Amino acid sequence: MTYEQDAKTLELPWPFTGREDELELVRRSLTAGRSGIVVTGPAGYGKTRLVTEAVRGTDCARAAGTPETRQLPFAAFAHLLPERVTLHRAVQLLSGVRLLLVDDAHLLDDASAALVHQLAVHGRTRLLVVATDGAPVPGAISRLWTGELLPRLALEPLPAEETAPLLTAGAGGPPAPLTAGRLLRLCQGDLRLLRDLLGAVRERGLLSRVEGTDERAWRGPVPVTATVRDRVAPALDRTAPDERETLDRLAFAEPLPLSMDALDLGILERLEHDGLIHIGDHSTVHLAHPLLGPALRATAGKLRARRLAGTPDRCDAALAAEQAELLRRIEQADVRPLATPVGEWLAAEGASVPAGYAAVRARFARLRGELREAGAWAREGLRGTADDASCRTEVALAAAQSGDVTAGAEAEVSGAVALWAAAARGDLDRALAAVEADNAYDAVRLGAPEHATGRLRGVFAEHADALARGDGPGLDRAAERLQERGFMLFAAEAHAQAVRAHRDPRAARTSRTRAAALARSCQGARTPALSGLALGELTARQRQIVTLAAAGLSNRQIAEQLTLSVRTVGNHLYSAYARLGAGDRAALPWLVELPDAQPA
């Protein structure tokens, strides 16, 4: 296989962001009376960066395994030990080390692994051990946690809202929502791969500014970089010619699956065993990893690509089916995540997305509380049909529910757009006057259930009834049902309303925490029901820094006023942005000016 090689690797600023709970857990494990911790996770999840932040400013000895030295005894500790040493003597020499960080412990030679295990048994050295999931691990290392010598922290993927600062830093500005979603799907939690792809996309000029915003959009093929090659080559290099032919057919069929009936069953069994394909519903076959398709297409050659590629209109029926399923789910009040690979493919490749599909996709995203994504899908539809009324309505609704006071500025706006435009301006009387039969639930969201009497059903009626009765537990139950059905923003608002309804301060605090956690996933939603939640989720120091930043002070001015380093101020702001769902400083004044909610 041959791959495109990068002439230059772009060095990107890559701030440490998120992982606050994990960072605190690691730091606590290194305090007096604790023996340390093992941190595990897939490659690229940020394990090394996390532990580096945890030990910053401490006196820490370091060792690391490497593929090249796995057969050399004590190779990882060569800089800390004499040239010739026994295990017993090595334990004696390193028992005086107060803190030892062992990175890439899955690559340790057997003697070094035994040394780490013995240090844990003796307990005089605090150990911070990092190992990668999915790789063979020396038994002496795995017994650290299976034998309960050290606790184990298994890292999950960095949440999308906490990845935002990394995307912004890597793209040189905030990425468009569909671009951000595409990158996260391609990388599946691998931050090193994310950095590599962002660098390649940016270096090759594939990012374009979205008109009227400061966002950057990426459309077109995936650059097949050296890192992409490293992810897919080991598996592909083991495939036989007939298996490779099947994989190529699947790659050029994307975004559509192929039917098992059109492929050789024996080959499919081998590919499934190797983790290269996934058998979906209705006996359809997909490539297992989103990078496999780009890598295979990039190396196919012109004649092979011409033979395997389909016609431009091959996606029409599948796109119509996606739109019908989105509408069906909306009608059933079920907006849980739904795969829409055809629409996402068209948007990613820069092809025209029909306005009708785009408007439905935007509505589905808005109902889920994914407001920035909703606006992005609506704008995709407007790229091809600039005067489409449904897409314009979705753009205005997403903007208004994000607190944009200029949303719906046209003179003739009506219905839901007029309602939420007035709410964004703080004019709730005008907003409630715009309530109509088909948007009665909006009145409940604005805190006036009497405007929706007899107009709602199901969980929406339960929400209205609990609010009308001032029933805090009932509002929490309604919120849970809304969340189960995918209505994250509505659930956040119901929990926020419960804060004011609860008589028990502890119940109010629980509702507030749940509301704030859900609101953070709603891409900057700013609705009246959420007033006062955001700042309550920050630490005291974060609230202090955010308040000063909202008042217009620079990071350096804040640092001088609070006697902190500029770096510390920046780190607190990054963490605060993630918790607040804010993209940058521009959103802070709106949030800081909100009154703090108090339990009833």
Side-chain angles (χ1 to χ4, degrees):
M1 296 177 64
T2 58
Y3 286 86
E4 173 185 349
Q5 292 288 334
D6 295 332
K8 174 183 175 183
T9 299
L10 183 66
E11 290 299 325
L12 304 175
W14 206 245
F16 180 79
T17 182
R19 302 283 193 209
E20 290 190 353
D21 292 340
E22 295 93 333
L23 185 61
E24 181 62 24
L25 180 62
V26 174
R27 285 174 171 164
R28 285 204 308 269
S29 74
L30 304 178
T31 57
R34 307 290 179 89
S35 55
I37 195 169
V38 179
V39 179
T40 65
Y45 270 37
K47 303 181 296 296
T48 299
R49 187 64 188 274
L50 172 67
V51 298
T52 299
E53 289 294 322
V55 301
R56 188 180 298 280
T58 66
D59 183 13
C60 176
R62 298 170 185 257
T66 64
E68 298 77 14
T69 60
R70 294 192 73 165
Q71 306 305 317
L72 302 177
F74 300 115
F77 295 91
H79 59 298
L80 299 174
L81 297 173
E83 185 173 349
R84 294 181 180 277
V85 67
T86 65
L87 176 61
H88 178 71
R89 181 58 178 156
V91 172
Q92 287 182 322
L93 291 171
L94 292 185
S95 290
V97 174
R98 182 179 179 185
L99 174 60
L100 176 62
L101 191 164
V102 183
D103 202 0
D104 288 332
H106 56 288
L107 297 177
L108 289 176
D109 59 272
D110 289 341
S112 293
L115 172 57
V116 173
H117 187 272
Q118 287 301 304
L119 289 172
V121 171
H122 284 251
R124 288 191 288 271
T125 299
R126 294 192 190 96
L127 294 170
L128 186 46
V129 181
V130 178
T132 295
D133 288 341
V137 179
I141 296 300
S142 63
R143 286 196 296 274
L144 292 175
W145 64 85
T146 59
E148 299 184 354
L149 288 170
L150 294 177
R152 179 189 182 192
L153 169 61
L155 287 190
E156 299 290 333
L158 193 66
E161 59 268 24
E162 294 183 358
T163 311
L166 304 183
L167 293 172
T168 298
L178 300 188
T179 294
R182 183 187 187 189
L183 285 163
L184 295 178
R185 284 192 300 274
L186 285 170
C187 298
Q188 298 188 337
D190 188 334
L191 301 179
R192 285 186 297 188
L193 178 59
L194 180 64
R195 177 172 181 158
D196 178 75
L197 275 180
L198 266 174
V201 167
R202 185 178 178 184
E203 185 182 58
R204 295 166 203 184
L206 302 179
L207 288 170
S208 58
R209 190 179 295 272
V210 178
E211 185 178 356
T213 75
D214 61 349
E215 295 176 346
R216 276 74 168 170
W218 164 40
R219 295 184 175 91
V222 176
V224 181
T225 65
T227 304
V228 172
R229 175 201 62 197
D230 290 343
R231 291 294 182 273
V232 301
L236 293 180
D237 287 345
R238 295 194 300 269
T239 58
D242 55 354
E243 295 170 343
R244 178 61 184 271
E245 174 70 18
T246 297
L247 291 174
D248 281 348
R249 289 180 62 187
L250 290 167
F252 280 92
E254 286 184 336
L256 307 179
L258 291 181
S259 169
M260 287 179 60
D261 295 337
L263 301 166
D264 184 280
L265 183 59
I267 294 174
L268 293 180
E269 288 177 351
R270 296 198 301 271
L271 292 174
E272 184 181 29
H273 178 269
D274 291 339
L276 291 172
I277 63 170
H278 171 68
I279 307 300
D281 297 335
H282 313 296
S283 297
T284 55
V285 186
H286 313 252
L287 292 172
H289 194 286
L291 286 177
L292 280 172
L296 290 163
R297 291 191 294 273
T299 59
K302 291 183 178 179
L303 293 178
R304 190 176 184 84
R306 185 179 301 171
R307 174 171 67 85
L308 294 173
T311 59
D313 62 351
R314 65 192 174 93
C315 293
D316 291 352
L319 190 69
E322 277 187 5
Q323 181 174 340
E325 180 61 15
L326 287 165
L327 285 169
R328 186 184 71 83
R329 294 277 293 274
I330 291 171
E331 177 63 26
Q332 293 179 343
D334 180 1
V335 293
R336 288 172 295 177
L338 176 67
T340 54
V342 180
E344 288 162 3
W345 170 277
L346 293 177
E349 293 296 314
S352 177
V353 178
Y357 174 90
V360 172
R361 188 65 184 82
R363 183 182 175 196
F364 191 88
R366 174 172 55 82
L367 291 172
R368 285 185 46 77
E370 297 165 344
L371 299 184
R372 285 197 288 270
E373 186 168 328
W377 275 111
R379 285 189 290 272
E380 283 295 314
L382 293 173
R383 288 177 65 217
T385 311
D387 59 351
D388 184 80
S390 296
C391 285
R392 287 186 173 276
T393 294
E394 290 298 335
V395 168
L397 285 172
Q401 292 183 36
S402 299
D404 183 352
V405 297
T406 66
E410 298 88 347
E412 300 299 325
V413 297
S414 61
V417 173
L419 185 157
W420 286 104
R425 296 192 299 271
D427 189 347
L428 294 187
D429 290 337
R430 185 180 294 273
L432 291 172
V435 172
E436 299 171 359
D438 60 351
N439 61 18
Y441 184 62
D442 288 338
V444 180
R445 297 176 60 195
L446 294 176
E450 64 276 9
H451 288 254
T453 303
R455 298 180 180 182
L456 301 173
R457 61 181 180 176
V459 66
F460 305 118
E462 292 176 24
H463 182 182
D465 180 61
L467 183 61
R469 292 184 287 104
D471 180 358
L475 284 165
D476 284 333
R477 287 192 295 272
E480 289 165 5
R481 287 201 58 201
L482 287 163
Q483 182 179 354
E484 288 170 359
R485 303 185 76 81
F487 296 100
M488 301 303 177
L489 177 54
F490 300 169
E493 290 171 332
H495 275 310
Q497 290 167 340
V499 173
R500 299 167 176 85
H502 279 301
R503 290 178 171 79
D504 180 353
R506 290 174 298 180
R509 284 194 295 272
T510 299
S511 297
R512 182 189 183 96
T513 299
R514 291 175 178 171
L518 287 168
R520 285 200 299 275
S521 70
C522 292
Q523 302 183 352
R526 304 174 191 169
T527 63
L530 299 181
S531 297
L533 287 175
L535 292 182
E537 277 296 288
L538 303 182
T539 66
R541 178 63 84 184
Q542 287 172 343
R543 284 198 298 273
Q544 191 178 28
I545 290 174
V546 162
T547 301
L548 293 173
L553 274 68
S554 68
N555 285 16
R556 184 166 297 281
Q557 290 170 323
I558 296 171
E560 292 172 353
Q561 183 164 328
L562 300 180
T563 320
L564 298 171
S565 71
V566 175
R567 179 187 180 89
T568 297
V569 171
N571 286 341
H572 277 302
L573 280 175
Y574 267 126
S575 298
Y577 291 159
R579 286 180 176 268
L580 296 173
D584 53 32
R585 266 179 155 78
L588 296 181
W590 188 93
L591 291 162
V592 172
E593 288 168 4
L594 291 176
D596 205 24
Q598 298 294 330

